[in-house]
Amino acid sequence: MAQMQKILGISAFYHDSAAALLVNGNIVAAAQEERFTRQKHDPRFPSQAIQYCLSEGQLTLDDLDAIVFYDKPLLKFERLLETFLAHAPKGFKAFLRAMPIWLKEKLYLKQLLRRECRALLPDPEKKSDLPPLLFTEHHQSHAASAFFPSPFTEATVVCLDGVGEWATTSVWHGKGRELVALEEIQFPHSLGLLYSAFTYYCGFKVNAGEYKLMGLAPYGKPIYADQILTHLIDLREDGSFALNMDYFDFAVGDRMTNARFHALFGGEPYPFDGKPDQRCMDLARSIQDVIEKAVMRIVKHAVSLTGCAQVCMAGGVALNCVANGKLFQQDFVHALWVQPAAGDAGGALGAALMAFYAHNAVEPDAVDSMQGAYLGPAYSELEVSDACAKWQAPYQILHKISLPQTVATWLTQGDVVGWFQGRMEFGPRALGNRSILGDPRQQDMQRTMNLKIKQRESFRPFAPAVLVDAVDNYFSPAHESPYMLSLADVKTDNLPAITHVDKTARLQTVSRQSNPDFYQVIAAFGEVTGIPMLINTSFNVRGEPPVCSPDDAIRCFLATDMDRLVMGNIVLDKNEQSADAIRRAKQVTFEKD
């Protein structure tokens, strides 16, 4: 067996392109391309993410043993072609649009990848050989990203997403360095696409607005759930399911849904970015309930296949923290671990991990190896001060020892604080290094942060970051949730800014080991208020990826109503910033998602 020690994983050309670097099986770096380009869900070849990963590993591309891509384009082309043939002549216009793209680029993906990679060589003109280029299947990448970094040496692995090549749902048994596929459901039958159909119908962007639909659901009642189960999906007791494609247009058409779907639910799709009405809220709640029922049955059946009650999950549907929170309460699940970059970005990491364990006789350790998902770039004090100079932004430097207490005092006074520390998170959640912080006790803080800071819909909830040893005081069921990927009931009435309308919250637990700086600020706030918890939301505005660099952070801070920005020990006060700098920052805008 030829060993592979230095492996680069890549996901690209659909959405959320990313790169991840493994050295000797250890995750050295991982990042999404969107963080560098500032284009949300950027699908392009992840040149900047790759360059960052190689820099972090002090490697060049020709040092690598392999480059691994996260799916198999020929299988995807086969699915596309068979789908069009099965529905012909319907969808012929969509077929004509898709074919030139496939024939020009995606069928020649190996050549395209080699060309893009060669451009990143230290000397692109030199005719040196590139490392071997390998391919994993899409759901294989998801499964590897879920199992191999998890704290389990044996697990039931469930992958749920829109679609890869053919698979939309898959069940695996992970044990040691082996990952065995057991069952799968194939396109067009997909929980992810079903949820996206309702995302589209309710006026949100597909592949971007699904989390908005989830946030809207508690405002509604599941009055359409029976209609969904009767007309749209045949959901069986073992979790297997089939969609009734008479109601959908996504297989070959221009839209997710069709006239029959619209008639069933009483009208045309909602306009993009319109204000949700009660029917929209009821639709959101109804599809959420159906998805939860399906996920429960799928996981229960999967556990019965493997006999292992330790469960790992990945795929876009695994980011549904409401369903995850309910899985924690099931007696057939003894432990649950969800990949924090569960979507396509995490496929880059899974592809690299799959190749590593296939080519090295090494057993994974029984520890969570994601390093808190802090796998992106960090910046020095000099780089931060240089960014301040670029913006002509006055600042002060606080002593590291007094910083937590000072920030905690500002928060108790109602300040909203941008918090920029250490390495950037990998995945969609802010986990305390690229975060905006606020006081969870203040009644108007949710509205203030939604409208004046995040510039987004007022119904969107905020997550609490709570010290792990205090979680039982405030949330039920009490459990560790380091990646903010599960829901819990809020046990007290004095936390209005993090309590959603249904008395739940998307929970993040913070330990001293995972993030000592964030832990100290929360602890200091707890010493002052008696509540060791803060609002934690991602450092960005609507339509913008979370900030990556000090320059990104300063621009976002200046363009919003944030009161202070803390980058390392460097602190900016909004009242001290010039009107010209604020004007320049506000000139940078992002497309609404």
Side-chain angles (χ1 to χ4, degrees), residues 9 16 26 86 129 148 180 207-208 268 331 442 487 514 525 554 569 590:
D16 292 317
N26 298 312
D129 290 333
F148 290 124
V180 179
N207 293 328
E268 289 294 306
D331 56 9
Q442 296 190 21
L487 212 70
S514 66
F525 184 84
I554 295 170
N569 297 345
F590 298 90

Side-chain angles (χ1 to χ4, degrees), residues 108-153:
Y108 298 97
L109 186 62
K110 184 174 286 190
Q111 291 94 317
L112 175 62
L113 289 170
R114 288 191 176 279
R115 184 170 68 247
E116 295 282 4
C117 288
R118 189 169 294 281
L120 300 178
L121 286 168
D123 183 0
E125 300 303 319
K126 188 179 177 182
K127 298 298 182 182
S128 57
D129 290 333
L130 284 169
L133 181 59
L134 309 177
F135 295 83
T136 58
E137 291 190 21
H138 188 93
H139 268 237
Q140 191 179 38
S141 298
H142 275 322
S145 78
F147 175 59
F148 290 124
S150 80
F152 311 137
T153 56

Side-chain angles (χ1 to χ4, degrees), residues 240-276:
S240 61
F241 61 89
L243 300 188
N244 183 349
M245 295 306 297
D246 291 342
Y247 290 87
F248 301 97
D249 207 28
F250 61 75
V252 290
D254 296 328
R255 304 189 295 179
M256 295 297 297
T257 56
N258 61 22
R260 192 168 180 178
F261 185 105
H262 308 158
L264 181 64
F265 295 111
E268 289 294 306
Y270 285 80
F272 171 67
D273 206 31
K275 185 176 181 180

Side-chain angles (χ1 to χ4, degrees), residues 160 191 195 214 217-218 235 284-299 317 320-327 330 332 487 502:
L160 307 164
L191 292 183
Y195 202 78
M214 182 175 65
L235 178 61
R285 174 62 184 276
S286 299
I287 188 58
Q288 177 65 35
D289 277 22
V290 170
I291 292 295
E292 289 170 21
K293 182 176 290 187
V295 170
M296 298 306 126
R297 292 185 184 181
I298 291 167
V299 173
V317 179
N320 192 306
C321 61
V322 184
N324 296 344
K326 293 187 176 179
L327 277 173
Q330 306 304 311
F332 54 83
L487 212 70
D502 59 352

Side-chain angles (χ1 to χ4, degrees), residues 174-187:
K175 190 172 185 179
R177 53 188 286 268
E178 300 294 328
L179 192 52
V180 179
L182 301 180
E183 290 185 354
E184 71 176 33
I185 296 171
Q186 293 190 345
F187 180 86

Side-chain angles (χ1 to χ4, degrees), residues 180-228:
V180 179
L182 301 180
E183 290 185 354
E184 71 176 33
I185 296 171
Q186 293 190 345
F187 180 86
H189 309 292
S190 164
L191 292 183
L193 292 174
L194 174 64
Y195 202 78
S196 291
F198 280 85
T199 301
Y200 164 82
Y201 187 73
C202 289
F204 304 122
K205 279 189 178 179
V206 173
N207 293 328
E210 283 78 5
Y211 56 94
K212 297 182 186 182
L213 194 71
M214 182 175 65
L216 190 63
Y219 292 92
K221 297 179 180 179
I223 61 176
Y224 299 103
D226 285 345
Q227 280 179 262
I228 296 170

Side-chain angles (χ1 to χ4, degrees), residues 16-58:
D16 292 317
S17 293
L21 177 66
L22 293 185
V23 176
N24 299 325
N26 298 312
I27 306 170
V28 172
Q32 294 110 296
E33 184 72 359
E34 65 166 16
R35 307 297 167 86
F36 304 96
T37 64
R38 313 309 301 152
Q39 179 180 319
K40 197 166 187 177
H41 305 301
D42 195 336
R44 294 171 294 180
F45 182 79
S47 299
Q48 294 186 61
I50 291 171
Q51 289 171 319
Y52 154 66
C53 289
L54 293 173
S55 174
E56 190 69 34
Q58 299 182 321

